[in-house]
Amino acid sequence: MTTIDGVIDEHGAALLSYVTRITGDRYLAEDVVQETWLRAWRNIDRLENGTGSVRGWLLRVAHNVAIDLHRGRRARPAEVGIEGDELADIAVQAQHSDEVENRVVVDELLDRLSPVHRRAVIEVYFIDRTTKSAASELGVPVGTVKSRLHNALRVLREPRLAREAV
């Protein structure tokens, strides 16, 4: 009996390559292939050996899905003011609220550290100093900075350690 996993393993790379060529867009191709796998799963009985070419059926279904998507895009009005590349850039830009939230989380994590450990983390990870430069700034040996960083990162990974003396 044919399983969808076996079909994907056998034909997945070829199907994605074919659809990427006909759409010219890797992300759209992945959507088309996903819809093709869904249709293949719903029609697994058609993919049994001896009932025709499995790859041929998959390529035809993928081709039809790609055409349907293309026609659907042409039927809808175009988005106003945003070109394709601009839309991709907007989609991946970080929101200001995300930056604020990240800063709050980082501040809360740093508050778990003792002052000497917090200062070592800030010098090395936020000010971007080398351990040697941070040691010079803090007036301690390089090994002390390294051990403070090690212990600080351990506390940040395991919050229960923050309650213990660092």
Side-chain angles (χ1 to χ4, degrees):
M1 174 167 204
T2 303
T3 66
I4 194 68
D5 290 335
V7 173
I8 291 171
D9 289 344
E10 187 174 345
H11 303 286
L15 185 63
L16 181 59
S17 176
Y18 169 75
V19 176
T20 302
R21 280 193 313 273
I22 65 171
T23 62
D25 180 350
R26 172 67 183 227
Y27 300 110
L28 179 60
E30 289 173 353
D31 290 343
V32 169
V33 169
Q34 196 67 18
E35 178 62 25
T36 303
W37 294 136
L38 182 61
R39 292 183 186 188
W41 176 70
R42 288 182 181 152
N43 296 288
I44 195 73
D45 56 313
R46 291 185 182 187
L47 303 179
E48 293 291 328
N49 293 335
T51 58
S53 167
V54 172
R55 184 167 291 183
W57 186 89
L58 291 169
L59 294 176
R60 175 50 47 197
V61 168
H63 180 83
N64 291 344
V65 169
I67 288 174
D68 290 345
L69 283 175
H70 177 71
R71 287 179 181 160
R73 284 184 171 178
R74 281 193 346 201
R76 287 190 307 266
E79 285 112 10
V80 178
I82 299 177
E83 297 297 320
D85 290 339
E86 291 176 43
L87 184 60
D89 291 341
I90 290 170
V92 296
Q93 288 178 350
Q95 297 295 319
H96 180 66
S97 61
D98 292 341
E99 293 174 27
V100 170
E101 182 180 355
N102 288 340
R103 187 65 206 173
V104 168
V105 169
V106 168
D107 286 344
E108 288 175 359
L109 288 170
L110 288 175
D111 285 343
R112 293 181 184 172
L113 301 175
S114 70
V116 294
H117 290 88
R118 183 180 315 116
R119 184 81 196 274
V121 168
I122 289 170
E123 290 292 326
V124 172
Y125 292 108
F126 291 92
I127 299 177
D128 200 27
R129 295 184 193 271
T130 63
T131 52
K132 184 177 180 181
S133 173
S136 175
E137 180 68 26
L138 296 172
V140 297
V142 174
T144 302
V145 172
K146 289 180 180 182
S147 71
R148 286 178 182 174
L149 289 173
H150 171 78
N151 290 328
L153 293 176
R154 207 179 74 200
V155 166
L156 294 175
R157 278 190 217 108
E158 299 179 35
R160 67 177 174 72
L161 294 176
R163 288 180 234 118
E164 301 170 6
V166 179

mmCIF file of all heavy atoms in Angstrom, residues 16 19-20 22-37 39 60-77 79:
data_model
loop_
_atom_site.group_PDB
_atom_site.id
_atom_site.type_symbol
_atom_site.label_atom_id
_atom_site.label_comp_id
_atom_site.label_asym_id
_atom_site.label_seq_id
_atom_site.Cartn_x
_atom_site.Cartn_y
_atom_site.Cartn_z
ATOM 1 N N LEU A 16 8.997 19.966 -6.218
ATOM 2 C CA LEU A 16 9.328 21.338 -5.829
ATOM 3 C C LEU A 16 10.155 22.024 -6.911
ATOM 4 O O LEU A 16 9.932 23.196 -7.226
ATOM 5 C CB LEU A 16 10.074 21.353 -4.493
ATOM 6 C CG LEU A 16 10.448 22.735 -3.965
ATOM 7 C CD1 LEU A 16 9.215 23.611 -3.753
ATOM 8 C CD2 LEU A 16 11.242 22.618 -2.671
ATOM 9 N N VAL A 19 7.757 22.946 -9.829
ATOM 10 C CA VAL A 19 6.846 24.047 -9.505
ATOM 11 C C VAL A 19 7.609 25.360 -9.359
ATOM 12 O O VAL A 19 7.116 26.416 -9.757
ATOM 13 C CB VAL A 19 6.022 23.732 -8.235
ATOM 14 C CG1 VAL A 19 5.146 24.897 -7.852
ATOM 15 C CG2 VAL A 19 5.166 22.496 -8.457
ATOM 16 N N THR A 20 8.824 25.318 -8.827
ATOM 17 C CA THR A 20 9.637 26.539 -8.730
ATOM 18 C C THR A 20 9.937 27.077 -10.123
ATOM 19 O O THR A 20 9.894 28.290 -10.344
ATOM 20 C CB THR A 20 10.945 26.258 -7.965
ATOM 21 O OG1 THR A 20 10.629 25.760 -6.663
ATOM 22 C CG2 THR A 20 11.778 27.517 -7.822
ATOM 23 N N ILE A 22 8.042 26.684 -12.864
ATOM 24 C CA ILE A 22 6.866 27.243 -13.543
ATOM 25 C C ILE A 22 6.320 28.488 -12.853
ATOM 26 O O ILE A 22 5.717 29.326 -13.507
ATOM 27 C CB ILE A 22 5.744 26.194 -13.737
ATOM 28 C CG1 ILE A 22 5.163 25.729 -12.407
ATOM 29 C CG2 ILE A 22 6.208 25.047 -14.595
ATOM 30 C CD1 ILE A 22 3.913 24.852 -12.564
ATOM 31 N N THR A 23 6.549 28.640 -11.556
ATOM 32 C CA THR A 23 6.051 29.834 -10.866
ATOM 33 C C THR A 23 7.088 30.940 -10.816
ATOM 34 O O THR A 23 6.721 32.112 -10.737
ATOM 35 C CB THR A 23 5.623 29.513 -9.419
ATOM 36 O OG1 THR A 23 6.754 29.058 -8.674
ATOM 37 C CG2 THR A 23 4.506 28.499 -9.384
ATOM 38 N N GLY A 24 8.384 30.573 -10.797
ATOM 39 C CA GLY A 24 9.430 31.572 -10.690
ATOM 40 C C GLY A 24 9.566 32.150 -9.287
ATOM 41 O O GLY A 24 10.265 33.127 -9.079
ATOM 42 N N ASP A 25 8.895 31.539 -8.314
ATOM 43 C CA ASP A 25 8.892 32.061 -6.945
ATOM 44 C C ASP A 25 8.934 30.875 -5.990
ATOM 45 O O ASP A 25 8.010 30.067 -5.939
ATOM 46 C CB ASP A 25 7.620 32.881 -6.724
ATOM 47 C CG ASP A 25 7.500 33.474 -5.333
ATOM 48 O OD1 ASP A 25 8.303 33.114 -4.443
ATOM 49 O OD2 ASP A 25 6.584 34.290 -5.136
ATOM 50 N N ARG A 26 10.016 30.799 -5.210
ATOM 51 C CA ARG A 26 10.210 29.655 -4.310
ATOM 52 C C ARG A 26 9.087 29.546 -3.265
ATOM 53 O O ARG A 26 8.606 28.475 -2.955
ATOM 54 C CB ARG A 26 11.577 29.784 -3.630
ATOM 55 C CG ARG A 26 11.863 28.797 -2.529
ATOM 56 C CD ARG A 26 11.976 27.386 -3.069
ATOM 57 N NE ARG A 26 12.183 26.453 -1.982
ATOM 58 C CZ ARG A 26 13.081 25.507 -1.974
ATOM 59 N NH1 ARG A 26 13.843 25.310 -3.011
ATOM 60 N NH2 ARG A 26 13.210 24.710 -0.945
ATOM 61 N N TYR A 27 8.673 30.697 -2.711
ATOM 62 C CA TYR A 27 7.642 30.676 -1.670
ATOM 63 C C TYR A 27 6.286 30.264 -2.229
ATOM 64 O O TYR A 27 5.559 29.481 -1.617
ATOM 65 C CB TYR A 27 7.566 32.033 -0.974
ATOM 66 C CG TYR A 27 8.865 32.413 -0.327
ATOM 67 C CD1 TYR A 27 9.643 33.443 -0.838
ATOM 68 C CD2 TYR A 27 9.343 31.711 0.766
ATOM 69 C CE1 TYR A 27 10.852 33.774 -0.260
ATOM 70 C CE2 TYR A 27 10.552 32.024 1.357
ATOM 71 C CZ TYR A 27 11.301 33.061 0.842
ATOM 72 O OH TYR A 27 12.497 33.369 1.415
ATOM 73 N N LEU A 28 5.951 30.772 -3.389
ATOM 74 C CA LEU A 28 4.707 30.372 -4.040
ATOM 75 C C LEU A 28 4.771 28.893 -4.411
ATOM 76 O O LEU A 28 3.787 28.161 -4.252
ATOM 77 C CB LEU A 28 4.458 31.227 -5.284
ATOM 78 C CG LEU A 28 3.191 30.902 -6.079
ATOM 79 C CD1 LEU A 28 1.950 31.089 -5.219
ATOM 80 C CD2 LEU A 28 3.117 31.776 -7.322
ATOM 81 N N ALA A 29 5.937 28.443 -4.858
ATOM 82 C CA ALA A 29 6.111 27.032 -5.213
ATOM 83 C C ALA A 29 5.876 26.133 -4.002
ATOM 84 O O ALA A 29 5.237 25.086 -4.116
ATOM 85 C CB ALA A 29 7.505 26.793 -5.785
ATOM 86 N N GLU A 30 6.363 26.556 -2.843
ATOM 87 C CA GLU A 30 6.147 25.757 -1.637
ATOM 88 C C GLU A 30 4.655 25.673 -1.299
ATOM 89 O O GLU A 30 4.174 24.623 -0.869
ATOM 90 C CB GLU A 30 6.934 26.346 -0.465
ATOM 91 C CG GLU A 30 8.423 26.129 -0.604
ATOM 92 C CD GLU A 30 9.239 26.842 0.465
ATOM 93 O OE1 GLU A 30 8.667 27.615 1.252
ATOM 94 O OE2 GLU A 30 10.466 26.609 0.498
ATOM 95 N N ASP A 31 3.917 26.760 -1.508
ATOM 96 C CA ASP A 31 2.469 26.738 -1.280
ATOM 97 C C ASP A 31 1.779 25.773 -2.245
ATOM 98 O O ASP A 31 0.887 25.012 -1.858
ATOM 99 C CB ASP A 31 1.868 28.135 -1.440
ATOM 100 C CG ASP A 31 2.263 29.082 -0.329
ATOM 101 O OD1 ASP A 31 2.736 28.593 0.729
ATOM 102 O OD2 ASP A 31 2.099 30.306 -0.509
ATOM 103 N N VAL A 32 2.192 25.825 -3.493
ATOM 104 C CA VAL A 32 1.608 24.934 -4.500
ATOM 105 C C VAL A 32 1.899 23.474 -4.161
ATOM 106 O O VAL A 32 1.007 22.611 -4.220
ATOM 107 C CB VAL A 32 2.127 25.298 -5.915
ATOM 108 C CG1 VAL A 32 1.746 24.226 -6.932
ATOM 109 C CG2 VAL A 32 1.608 26.660 -6.335
ATOM 110 N N VAL A 33 3.130 23.185 -3.794
ATOM 111 C CA VAL A 33 3.507 21.810 -3.446
ATOM 112 C C VAL A 33 2.726 21.338 -2.223
ATOM 113 O O VAL A 33 2.246 20.201 -2.175
ATOM 114 C CB VAL A 33 5.032 21.692 -3.229
ATOM 115 C CG1 VAL A 33 5.408 20.363 -2.609
ATOM 116 C CG2 VAL A 33 5.762 21.883 -4.550
ATOM 117 N N GLN A 34 2.558 22.214 -1.249
ATOM 118 C CA GLN A 34 1.792 21.849 -0.053
ATOM 119 C C GLN A 34 0.356 21.473 -0.424
ATOM 120 O O GLN A 34 -0.186 20.494 0.066
ATOM 121 C CB GLN A 34 1.805 23.031 0.938
ATOM 122 C CG GLN A 34 1.396 22.672 2.314
ATOM 123 C CD GLN A 34 2.390 21.747 3.002
ATOM 124 O OE1 GLN A 34 3.529 21.621 2.609
ATOM 125 N NE2 GLN A 34 1.951 21.081 4.026
ATOM 126 N N GLU A 35 -0.263 22.266 -1.290
ATOM 127 C CA GLU A 35 -1.624 21.962 -1.736
ATOM 128 C C GLU A 35 -1.646 20.655 -2.536
ATOM 129 O O GLU A 35 -2.580 19.861 -2.419
ATOM 130 C CB GLU A 35 -2.164 23.115 -2.587
ATOM 131 C CG GLU A 35 -3.552 22.875 -3.135
ATOM 132 C CD GLU A 35 -4.647 22.714 -2.080
ATOM 133 O OE1 GLU A 35 -4.490 23.234 -0.944
ATOM 134 O OE2 GLU A 35 -5.655 22.040 -2.378
ATOM 135 N N THR A 36 -0.589 20.414 -3.297
ATOM 136 C CA THR A 36 -0.500 19.163 -4.062
ATOM 137 C C THR A 36 -0.438 17.969 -3.115
ATOM 138 O O THR A 36 -1.102 16.956 -3.335
ATOM 139 C CB THR A 36 0.731 19.190 -4.989
ATOM 140 O OG1 THR A 36 0.630 20.326 -5.850
ATOM 141 C CG2 THR A 36 0.817 17.926 -5.817
ATOM 142 N N TRP A 37 0.367 18.069 -2.032
ATOM 143 C CA TRP A 37 0.457 16.962 -1.068
ATOM 144 C C TRP A 37 -0.899 16.734 -0.397
ATOM 145 O O TRP A 37 -1.282 15.591 -0.145
ATOM 146 C CB TRP A 37 1.515 17.223 -0.007
ATOM 147 C CG TRP A 37 2.917 17.262 -0.530
ATOM 148 C CD1 TRP A 37 3.878 18.154 -0.216
ATOM 149 C CD2 TRP A 37 3.529 16.355 -1.458
ATOM 150 N NE1 TRP A 37 5.042 17.869 -0.888
ATOM 151 C CE2 TRP A 37 4.854 16.770 -1.656
ATOM 152 C CE3 TRP A 37 3.077 15.244 -2.161
ATOM 153 C CZ2 TRP A 37 5.733 16.114 -2.506
ATOM 154 C CZ3 TRP A 37 3.953 14.582 -3.009
ATOM 155 C CH2 TRP A 37 5.265 15.020 -3.178
ATOM 156 N N ARG A 39 -3.849 17.270 -1.704
ATOM 157 C CA ARG A 39 -4.706 16.577 -2.683
ATOM 158 C C ARG A 39 -4.256 15.126 -2.875
ATOM 159 O O ARG A 39 -5.090 14.239 -3.056
ATOM 160 C CB ARG A 39 -4.711 17.333 -4.003
ATOM 161 C CG ARG A 39 -5.423 18.663 -3.871
ATOM 162 C CD ARG A 39 -5.511 19.399 -5.173
ATOM 163 N NE ARG A 39 -6.075 20.721 -4.961
ATOM 164 C CZ ARG A 39 -6.414 21.540 -5.948
ATOM 165 N NH1 ARG A 39 -6.236 21.173 -7.206
ATOM 166 N NH2 ARG A 39 -6.889 22.723 -5.670
ATOM 167 N N ARG A 60 0.750 17.038 -12.791
ATOM 168 C CA ARG A 60 -0.482 17.601 -13.359
ATOM 169 C C ARG A 60 -1.269 18.348 -12.282
ATOM 170 O O ARG A 60 -1.756 19.457 -12.506
ATOM 171 C CB ARG A 60 -1.335 16.484 -13.989
ATOM 172 C CG ARG A 60 -2.690 16.903 -14.513
ATOM 173 C CD ARG A 60 -2.747 18.104 -15.430
ATOM 174 N NE ARG A 60 -1.775 18.092 -16.479
ATOM 175 C CZ ARG A 60 -1.421 19.166 -17.208
ATOM 176 N NH1 ARG A 60 -1.971 20.326 -16.975
ATOM 177 N NH2 ARG A 60 -0.530 19.084 -18.136
ATOM 178 N N VAL A 61 -1.387 17.770 -11.098
ATOM 179 C CA VAL A 61 -2.111 18.425 -10.008
ATOM 180 C C VAL A 61 -1.402 19.723 -9.631
ATOM 181 O O VAL A 61 -2.038 20.774 -9.473
ATOM 182 C CB VAL A 61 -2.251 17.490 -8.784
ATOM 183 C CG1 VAL A 61 -2.745 18.249 -7.561
ATOM 184 C CG2 VAL A 61 -3.198 16.340 -9.109
ATOM 185 N N ALA A 62 -0.087 19.681 -9.500
ATOM 186 C CA ALA A 62 0.676 20.882 -9.147
ATOM 187 C C ALA A 62 0.516 21.957 -10.215
ATOM 188 O O ALA A 62 0.341 23.144 -9.895
ATOM 189 C CB ALA A 62 2.147 20.531 -8.951
ATOM 190 N N HIS A 63 0.551 21.561 -11.468
ATOM 191 C CA HIS A 63 0.369 22.495 -12.579
ATOM 192 C C HIS A 63 -1.006 23.164 -12.476
ATOM 193 O O HIS A 63 -1.125 24.385 -12.601
ATOM 194 C CB HIS A 63 0.513 21.745 -13.905
ATOM 195 C CG HIS A 63 0.350 22.608 -15.106
ATOM 196 N ND1 HIS A 63 1.383 23.356 -15.612
ATOM 197 C CD2 HIS A 63 -0.733 22.859 -15.886
ATOM 198 C CE1 HIS A 63 0.947 24.021 -16.667
ATOM 199 N NE2 HIS A 63 -0.328 23.738 -16.852
ATOM 200 N N ASN A 64 -2.035 22.370 -12.219
ATOM 201 C CA ASN A 64 -3.395 22.909 -12.098
ATOM 202 C C ASN A 64 -3.521 23.858 -10.908
ATOM 203 O O ASN A 64 -4.170 24.901 -10.989
ATOM 204 C CB ASN A 64 -4.415 21.782 -11.982
ATOM 205 C CG ASN A 64 -4.554 20.996 -13.268
ATOM 206 O OD1 ASN A 64 -4.131 21.445 -14.333
ATOM 207 N ND2 ASN A 64 -5.102 19.801 -13.184
ATOM 208 N N VAL A 65 -2.904 23.500 -9.786
ATOM 209 C CA VAL A 65 -2.943 24.360 -8.603
ATOM 210 C C VAL A 65 -2.252 25.685 -8.915
ATOM 211 O O VAL A 65 -2.757 26.761 -8.550
ATOM 212 C CB VAL A 65 -2.292 23.661 -7.388
ATOM 213 C CG1 VAL A 65 -2.082 24.637 -6.236
ATOM 214 C CG2 VAL A 65 -3.128 22.483 -6.935
ATOM 215 N N ALA A 66 -1.109 25.645 -9.591
ATOM 216 C CA ALA A 66 -0.378 26.862 -9.931
ATOM 217 C C ALA A 66 -1.214 27.753 -10.854
ATOM 218 O O ALA A 66 -1.266 28.980 -10.671
ATOM 219 C CB ALA A 66 0.960 26.514 -10.579
ATOM 220 N N ILE A 67 -1.875 27.151 -11.819
ATOM 221 C CA ILE A 67 -2.734 27.929 -12.724
ATOM 222 C C ILE A 67 -3.890 28.548 -11.951
ATOM 223 O O ILE A 67 -4.229 29.721 -12.152
ATOM 224 C CB ILE A 67 -3.242 27.045 -13.884
ATOM 225 C CG1 ILE A 67 -2.076 26.762 -14.840
ATOM 226 C CG2 ILE A 67 -4.396 27.707 -14.618
ATOM 227 C CD1 ILE A 67 -2.398 25.792 -15.946
ATOM 228 N N ASP A 68 -4.502 27.783 -11.056
ATOM 229 C CA ASP A 68 -5.602 28.321 -10.248
ATOM 230 C C ASP A 68 -5.148 29.518 -9.418
ATOM 231 O O ASP A 68 -5.856 30.518 -9.312
ATOM 232 C CB ASP A 68 -6.182 27.249 -9.331
ATOM 233 C CG ASP A 68 -6.941 26.171 -10.085
ATOM 234 O OD1 ASP A 68 -7.260 26.389 -11.279
ATOM 235 O OD2 ASP A 68 -7.206 25.108 -9.475
ATOM 236 N N LEU A 69 -3.961 29.424 -8.812
ATOM 237 C CA LEU A 69 -3.435 30.543 -8.032
ATOM 238 C C LEU A 69 -3.177 31.759 -8.907
ATOM 239 O O LEU A 69 -3.481 32.894 -8.535
ATOM 240 C CB LEU A 69 -2.153 30.135 -7.305
ATOM 241 C CG LEU A 69 -2.326 29.277 -6.068
ATOM 242 C CD1 LEU A 69 -0.966 28.849 -5.524
ATOM 243 C CD2 LEU A 69 -3.098 30.020 -4.994
ATOM 244 N N HIS A 70 -2.628 31.524 -10.089
ATOM 245 C CA HIS A 70 -2.346 32.622 -11.014
ATOM 246 C C HIS A 70 -3.641 33.305 -11.444
ATOM 247 O O HIS A 70 -3.740 34.535 -11.438
ATOM 248 C CB HIS A 70 -1.575 32.097 -12.228
ATOM 249 C CG HIS A 70 -1.312 33.140 -13.266
ATOM 250 N ND1 HIS A 70 -0.408 34.156 -13.059
ATOM 251 C CD2 HIS A 70 -1.852 33.339 -14.500
ATOM 252 C CE1 HIS A 70 -0.394 34.930 -14.134
ATOM 253 N NE2 HIS A 70 -1.259 34.458 -15.012
ATOM 254 N N ARG A 71 -4.631 32.528 -11.806
ATOM 255 C CA ARG A 71 -5.918 33.098 -12.212
ATOM 256 C C ARG A 71 -6.587 33.838 -11.061
ATOM 257 O O ARG A 71 -7.197 34.886 -11.261
ATOM 258 C CB ARG A 71 -6.844 31.993 -12.714
ATOM 259 C CG ARG A 71 -6.442 31.462 -14.064
ATOM 260 C CD ARG A 71 -7.355 30.360 -14.508
ATOM 261 N NE ARG A 71 -6.951 29.829 -15.799
ATOM 262 C CZ ARG A 71 -7.295 28.656 -16.266
ATOM 263 N NH1 ARG A 71 -8.068 27.855 -15.547
ATOM 264 N NH2 ARG A 71 -6.890 28.256 -17.448
ATOM 265 N N GLY A 72 -6.469 33.287 -9.869
ATOM 266 C CA GLY A 72 -7.056 33.950 -8.705
ATOM 267 C C GLY A 72 -6.413 35.298 -8.434
ATOM 268 O O GLY A 72 -7.087 36.265 -8.071
ATOM 269 N N ARG A 73 -5.112 35.388 -8.630
ATOM 270 C CA ARG A 73 -4.417 36.662 -8.430
ATOM 271 C C ARG A 73 -4.813 37.678 -9.486
ATOM 272 O O ARG A 73 -4.927 38.867 -9.208
ATOM 273 C CB ARG A 73 -2.907 36.459 -8.460
ATOM 274 C CG ARG A 73 -2.380 35.842 -7.209
ATOM 275 C CD ARG A 73 -0.886 35.752 -7.269
ATOM 276 N NE ARG A 73 -0.371 35.352 -5.967
ATOM 277 C CZ ARG A 73 0.884 35.158 -5.717
ATOM 278 N NH1 ARG A 73 1.783 35.319 -6.665
ATOM 279 N NH2 ARG A 73 1.268 34.794 -4.513
ATOM 280 N N ARG A 74 -4.999 37.223 -10.717
ATOM 281 C CA ARG A 74 -5.404 38.148 -11.788
ATOM 282 C C ARG A 74 -6.819 38.648 -11.571
ATOM 283 O O ARG A 74 -7.143 39.769 -11.941
ATOM 284 C CB ARG A 74 -5.317 37.461 -13.150
ATOM 285 C CG ARG A 74 -3.927 37.390 -13.679
ATOM 286 C CD ARG A 74 -3.867 37.017 -15.124
ATOM 287 N NE ARG A 74 -5.122 36.494 -15.635
ATOM 288 C CZ ARG A 74 -5.237 35.743 -16.703
ATOM 289 N NH1 ARG A 74 -4.176 35.409 -17.368
ATOM 290 N NH2 ARG A 74 -6.410 35.326 -17.125
ATOM 291 N N ALA A 75 -7.678 37.822 -10.971
ATOM 292 C CA ALA A 75 -9.082 38.196 -10.779
ATOM 293 C C ALA A 75 -9.244 39.229 -9.664
ATOM 294 O O ALA A 75 -10.202 39.989 -9.656
ATOM 295 C CB ALA A 75 -9.917 36.959 -10.461
ATOM 296 N N ARG A 76 -8.319 39.254 -8.714
ATOM 297 C CA ARG A 76 -8.398 40.217 -7.606
ATOM 298 C C ARG A 76 -7.767 41.531 -8.034
ATOM 299 O O ARG A 76 -6.802 41.548 -8.801
ATOM 300 C CB ARG A 76 -7.653 39.678 -6.383
ATOM 301 C CG ARG A 76 -8.365 38.568 -5.683
ATOM 302 C CD ARG A 76 -7.689 38.257 -4.353
ATOM 303 N NE ARG A 76 -6.263 38.005 -4.471
ATOM 304 C CZ ARG A 76 -5.741 36.789 -4.607
ATOM 305 N NH1 ARG A 76 -6.495 35.735 -4.618
ATOM 306 N NH2 ARG A 76 -4.434 36.650 -4.717
ATOM 307 N N PRO A 77 -8.258 42.630 -7.471
ATOM 308 C CA PRO A 77 -7.603 43.912 -7.780
ATOM 309 C C PRO A 77 -6.198 43.939 -7.174
ATOM 310 O O PRO A 77 -5.948 43.319 -6.153
ATOM 311 C CB PRO A 77 -8.502 44.950 -7.102
ATOM 312 C CG PRO A 77 -9.398 44.199 -6.184
ATOM 313 C CD PRO A 77 -9.408 42.761 -6.616
ATOM 314 N N GLU A 79 -2.921 45.211 -5.208
ATOM 315 C CA GLU A 79 -2.723 45.976 -3.994
ATOM 316 C C GLU A 79 -2.192 47.350 -4.348
ATOM 317 O O GLU A 79 -1.357 47.497 -5.229
ATOM 318 C CB GLU A 79 -1.742 45.256 -3.050
ATOM 319 C CG GLU A 79 -2.360 44.072 -2.360
ATOM 320 C CD GLU A 79 -1.765 42.764 -2.829
ATOM 321 O OE1 GLU A 79 -0.752 42.796 -3.549
ATOM 322 O OE2 GLU A 79 -2.320 41.715 -2.492
#
